[in-house]
Amino acid sequence: MTRKSRKKSASEKPAAEQPDYPVEWFQVESLDMDAQGIAHKEDGKVVFIEGALPFEVVSANIFRKKSSFEKGVLTAIQTESSQRVVPECPHFGLHAGACGGCKMQHLHVGAQVAVKQRVMEDNLWHIGKVRPESILRPIEGPAWGYRYRARLSVRHVLKKGAVLIGFHERKSSYVTDMTECRVLPAHVSDLLLPLRALIESMDAKDTIPQIELAVGDLREPGVADVVALVLRHLEPLSKSDLARLRAFAVGHGRTGEGQAFVIQWWLQAKGPETVKLLDAETAVPGAPATPQLAYALPEFGITMPFKPTDFTQVNPHINRVLVSRALRLLDIQETERVIDWFCGLGNFTLPIATLAGAVLGVEGSEALVARSRQNYKLNRALAPADKALSATEFIARNLFEMTPELLMQDGTADKWLLDPPREGAFSLVKALADLHRGYVGPELAGGTGDGNSDGDGEVASVTQEVSADAAAPQPQRPRLERGNWAFPQRIVYVSCNPATLARDAGLLVHEAGYRCVSAGVVNMFAHTAHVESMAVFERLSE
């Protein structure tokens, strides 16, 4: 990647509609969660500057003034950061019409990881009052071509006389005029312009709002991966349009040398439950089987079929390393029982089943539980005799309404893996803390962190929630009889939101009898401000 050589002018231009306040020079101190540079005026007021990097001296056009902060856009650089780089993508920047999909392409990818590491550590301390005993080495992977899932907006723009397909423009509901995307796999990026031409040729071009894509990742010689395109259509498609979709799939797949792939069209008339494979009902008996959308976890001999609307990790390269590290940190023994909470399709559950004595996967969706059971059955049948999967159960449960009693119903497990959505696992962790208090007694249950934070936005809202929970009077509960139930000795928590991880970590450490032995970031979404992380908790001796 090429470093920038010039010092004085920024490559990005401020939006034309921003008011032009008097120019000042600002010393940028750090980055916030939205990749805005943070500086202070002489009177101490905070200034957030889009496009600025830590340790730079910059000028900015201020477009928003509040009593406690201001916001601006970079206009010039007096002193440039050594970590500033030339963005790879022509659609990235601060100019009018710039793509809003990435926020950090102007920052060296190694520095991006360092910023995310600081965000995780700051959240753990300011929200949860938790400091990990050690910091894990960041999980990193390819910085480009990594995004195997995306939801692309579609708009027929009469003023431009064209159909646009892409992410939204920066801070706008308009669709970016994208001709390529460097974070998509190259063979998918190459489809953007042909897709635009396809939709423009269709009768339904004004009633197609989005295309969701999902790419398979088997990486097997001689096996073509699937590129699934889910077409959201507001009106029934004409026979001519269906014929155009079929012709596109045939004409733009790739065989032979290089990355072979086939294109599958899926149609979505209304909600996610209406998604169906084009021509699935008219498949001819005895005809060659339709290629299956799937990804592989070769270290564990697992193949995971999925539907294009199922939740899977965006970055399959990172996912392989993530699963491997999570299981190493759990240190699973063949006699142990492990529970995988928020198990989804079994991304962690099935690899765990190659190591543990027994496994339970718990998920809130009945449909995902059914899919998990199918994946388990498939992989158990494919596994060689010397690598058979252990006994594994899947159950559906609302994990956002857990109680100590429900927790004990699922039985004792030596170890837990948690992989919750952005909301975190507060109800589950609180039930564990209630069991700890109910069994050990309040005098040994530990204190509660004050949850204060100097941040704003999402972090502040989570902090207020934690503070309110801590301040609320706790009803008297009868002492819990746990019988033979025992606490998990180790918990590995995989998080996609550092604020809710910090909140839950605070409960585990201060109220549930655990210590945080390690934590680290996972750069699942390079060039974005999204922070994925992992933390390990061990049970204190009672």
Side-chain angles (χ1 to χ4, degrees), residues 332-353:
I332 300 167
Q333 306 302 309
E334 62 182 12
T335 58
E336 292 178 330
R337 183 173 187 259
V338 180
I339 298 181
D340 178 12
W341 303 97
F342 306 93
C343 69
L345 292 172
N347 184 57
F348 290 100
T349 323
L350 300 190
I352 289 171

Side-chain angles (χ1 to χ4, degrees), residues 302-317:
I302 299 296
T303 297
M304 298 287 290
F306 65 97
K307 293 182 179 179
T309 51
D310 288 339
F311 173 79
T312 57
Q313 294 290 2
V314 162
N315 188 328
H317 314 283

Side-chain angles (χ1 to χ4, degrees), residues 116-135:
K116 295 178 181 184
Q117 184 80 40
R118 180 188 59 78
V119 168
M120 181 202 70
E121 292 182 56
D122 286 352
N123 275 241
L124 283 172
W125 177 244
H126 290 302
I127 297 175
K129 292 293 180 275
V130 171
R131 292 196 192 278
E133 295 173 16
S134 64
I135 298 298

